[in-house]
Amino acid sequence: MYTLTNNPKTMEVSQGYAALHAKCPKCRKGNMFANSMYGFSSQKMNETCPHCGFRFEIEPGYFYVAMFVSYAFNVAQMVTLAVGTYILTGSRNPWIYTAILLGTAFILSPFNFRYSRVVLLYWLTPGIHYDPDRARDDYKKIG
């Protein structure tokens, strides 16, 4: 979960933990999203990191690429569910598959929206790397 850096007083958040909790890829402290994944309000992504000020949308239209990541998530989920449904039920009724796949796509859409952007920022964008200086609590005061 947390790993120690060279300074024993400072705790550094691991990349996996920060990505799982949708934290800023630069400082791993600020939240990328302003609200929870599942709720009655629509998902809202912060424009900048509340901790270090990193701008998430690097250029206009940057998150259009996240649609392709979301599409890959959807394809993987649908294939897995279709195979799992066939193995568990053995049914060839297309209405069972339609109901299960569309229901799951609807339920997992907030997950796909959020984590397609996280995957894009953490692993698919060259040049965005963790900066330990941005993780300092006094970064905005000195930076």
Side-chain angles (χ1 to χ4, degrees):
M1 186 188 308
Y2 290 99
T3 56
L4 286 175
T5 59
N6 294 337
N7 184 355
K9 293 180 184 178
T10 306
M11 296 294 283
E12 183 178 304
V13 178
S14 70
Q15 184 180 27
Y17 179 86
L20 182 66
H21 293 282
K23 300 292 183 183
C24 171
K26 284 286 205 180
C27 68
R28 297 183 186 167
K29 287 195 172 191
N31 291 326
M32 289 175 59
F33 292 88
N35 51 5
S36 65
M37 187 179 335
Y38 288 100
F40 292 112
S41 62
S42 63
Q43 291 202 27
K44 178 170 179 353
M45 185 168 186
N46 292 325
E47 288 185 22
T48 60
C49 174
H51 179 77
C52 70
F54 173 68
R55 183 166 172 78
F56 294 122
E57 189 170 8
I58 297 168
E59 58 189 28
Y62 174 74
F63 285 117
Y64 283 123
V65 178
M67 290 189 304
F68 296 110
V69 178
S70 179
Y71 176 75
F73 284 173
N74 272 309
V75 168
Q77 292 160 359
M78 297 303 120
V79 168
T80 303
L81 280 170
V83 170
T85 302
Y86 180 76
I87 290 172
L88 292 175
T89 65
S91 175
R92 293 181 183 227
N93 183 354
W95 295 110
I96 291 175
Y97 292 97
T98 302
I100 290 173
L101 297 180
L102 288 178
T104 304
F106 179 75
I107 291 170
L108 291 178
S109 63
F111 171 87
N112 291 338
F113 173 80
R114 180 173 291 227
Y115 286 104
S116 64
R117 291 176 176 222
V118 169
V119 166
L120 179 65
L121 281 170
Y122 269 85
W123 295 293
L124 298 178
T125 304
I128 297 180
H129 303 290
Y130 173 67
D131 183 4
D133 289 333
R134 285 181 179 254
R136 295 175 40 178
D137 289 332
D138 60 347
Y139 178 75
K140 277 198 171 181
K141 295 174 191 163
I142 63 170

